[in-house]
Amino acid sequence: MIYQVRHLTEIRYAAIVRLARFNVRLLPAAWPGQRLIESALDVSPAPAAMETRKGPHIVNISRMVLTEPLSSLKIESRFTIEVAPRTLPLAGLCPTLIQARNAVRASRDLSALGPSRYLYPSQIVPVNREIGEWAAPFLMQGTSLIDSATALMRAIHSEFTYDAKATKADTPTLEAFHNRHGVCQDFAHVMIAALRAHGLPAAYVSGYLRTNPPPGKVRLIGADAMHAWVNLWCGDDLGWVGFDPTNKMLAGSDHIFVAMGRDYADVAPVDGVFVGGEGQQMRVAVDVMPLEGPLLASA
């Protein structure tokens, strides 16, 4: 499937801003099963300097500096991308939980795709004993890792309520866990905390969902906004497998990968600093339009 994605961010400042520096992470990073056809990033007013490069994880970062006084800022990302469904026989290749732990210890891959950097506590997701104990009944050592992670994903979907007003971007993971309310970011962080507490490498993925579902399919939660899900490292043969606890499904051709990091802080779509005061207001609009087209070759 080929998609056209448009992501518009508008920021209005309560007072004139004299200097601003931003990091924008909206250009999709390279990922198996995806092919970026074209992309554009427009900023108004135009920055004095802008550079796009690879970040420390699986992420592209556009760094920009604005030196002219401004009262508002518009950042528009547009891209066309082809996404193919994964066709690997998951059941036949998947290790058990204990086999996956042993594979992590044996791995010497220290790259951004390696499991090691996604095994330890991160800025937003500390390893928490309470979350680990809650998840223990779903993560059985002798069971297929895919089956165990699926059971955990379904538990989060069942026990947690999607509520866009319940949390903010900086809500601690444990608070969202206790309240059992939140958005896709919170559900992903809880699942990551649970998996890491059991010695399993888990990563935070930011991306998009198909806006218009195929005939007969329900509309997915998180469409028309940036979405988040979890990548779990399932050994050398399978690599990273995506789990979407918000929608109780494996990540597939409805999911458009943009970036992967240890948690939201590594892949936040926009962050930065500015010289000024009185606060700001931000508005985000996302359109994901599926187009007809050939699929990529099977992964």
Side-chain angles (χ1 to χ4, degrees):
M1 177 62 70
I2 296 176
Y3 296 96
Q4 286 184 341
V5 179
R6 175 179 177 267
H7 185 132
L8 176 64
T9 303
E10 292 183 304
I11 305 172
R12 295 188 178 276
Y13 299 99
I16 296 296
V17 169
R18 304 294 176 183
L19 173 67
R21 296 177 181 269
F22 285 97
N23 300 310
V24 177
R25 305 175 184 87
L26 293 173
L27 175 65
W31 190 253
Q34 291 192 172
R35 179 174 67 91
L36 184 62
I37 299 171
E38 60 182 1
S39 64
L41 183 65
D42 295 330
V43 182
S44 178
M50 184 166 71
E51 175 191 21
T52 299
R53 61 177 179 80
K54 293 182 179 180
H57 307 288
I58 310 296
V59 58
N60 290 319
I61 303 176
S62 298
R63 300 187 185 277
M64 59 187 68
V65 180
L66 296 102
T67 56
E68 298 296 325
L70 69 152
S71 59
S72 64
L73 178 67
K74 181 185 293 185
I75 302 170
E76 183 177 12
S77 168
R78 302 184 307 278
F79 62 85
T80 303
I81 196 165
E82 188 176 15
V83 181
R86 192 171 187 184
T87 56
L88 286 174
L90 297 180
L93 292 176
C94 188
T96 64
L97 188 147
I98 192 65
Q99 289 171 336
R101 283 180 184 161
N102 292 336
V104 173
R105 287 194 289 267
S107 175
R108 297 295 181 266
D109 185 356
L110 299 180
S111 72
L113 270 174
S116 299
R117 68 175 63 194
Y118 307 99
L119 186 61
Y120 302 103
S122 55
Q123 179 177 337
I124 301 178
V125 187
V127 173
N128 182 272
R129 177 177 295 180
E130 183 179 354
I131 295 177
E133 291 175 350
W134 168 80
F138 311 111
L139 300 175
M140 308 300 291
Q141 293 197 13
T143 305
S144 157
L145 184 56
I146 294 289
D147 291 343
S148 291
T150 298
L152 174 62
M153 173 181 69
R154 289 174 175 168
I156 294 172
H157 183 271
S158 173
E159 294 187 24
F160 290 69
T161 300
Y162 188 93
D163 184 351
K165 298 180 180 180
T167 57
K168 299 180 180 179
D170 59 352
T171 297
T173 300
L174 188 59
E175 180 180 328
F177 174 76
H178 285 157
N179 293 337
R180 296 298 201 273
H181 284 71
V183 294
C184 55
Q185 173 183 316
D186 305 297
F187 302 162
H189 282 155
V190 169
M191 186 168 180
I192 290 168
L195 292 167
R196 289 180 186 167
H198 288 266
L200 299 168
Y204 183 100
V205 180
S206 68
Y208 301 96
L209 278 174
R210 172 200 289 263
T211 300
N212 300 314
K217 295 289 186 70
V218 298
R219 194 171 188 275
L220 298 176
I221 296 174
D224 294 323
M226 209 155 193
H227 191 49
W229 59 94
V230 177
N231 265 355
L232 172 64
W233 191 76
C234 296
D236 291 321
D237 290 334
L238 271 183
W240 295 97
V241 177
F243 294 82
D244 182 350
T246 305
N247 292 292
K248 195 176 65 174
M249 64 191 299
L250 291 178
S253 56
D254 286 334
H255 293 74
I256 302 167
F257 177 101
V258 171
M260 183 175 89
R262 297 163 301 175
D263 56 36
Y264 172 81
D266 289 336
V267 297
V270 179
D271 61 24
V273 296
F274 62 88
V275 178
E278 305 297 330
Q280 63 183 10
Q281 290 184 333
M282 179 182 293
R283 184 180 77 87
V284 176
V286 171
D287 293 312
V288 179
M289 179 63 65
L291 306 175
E292 294 298 327
L295 294 173
L296 291 165
S298 298

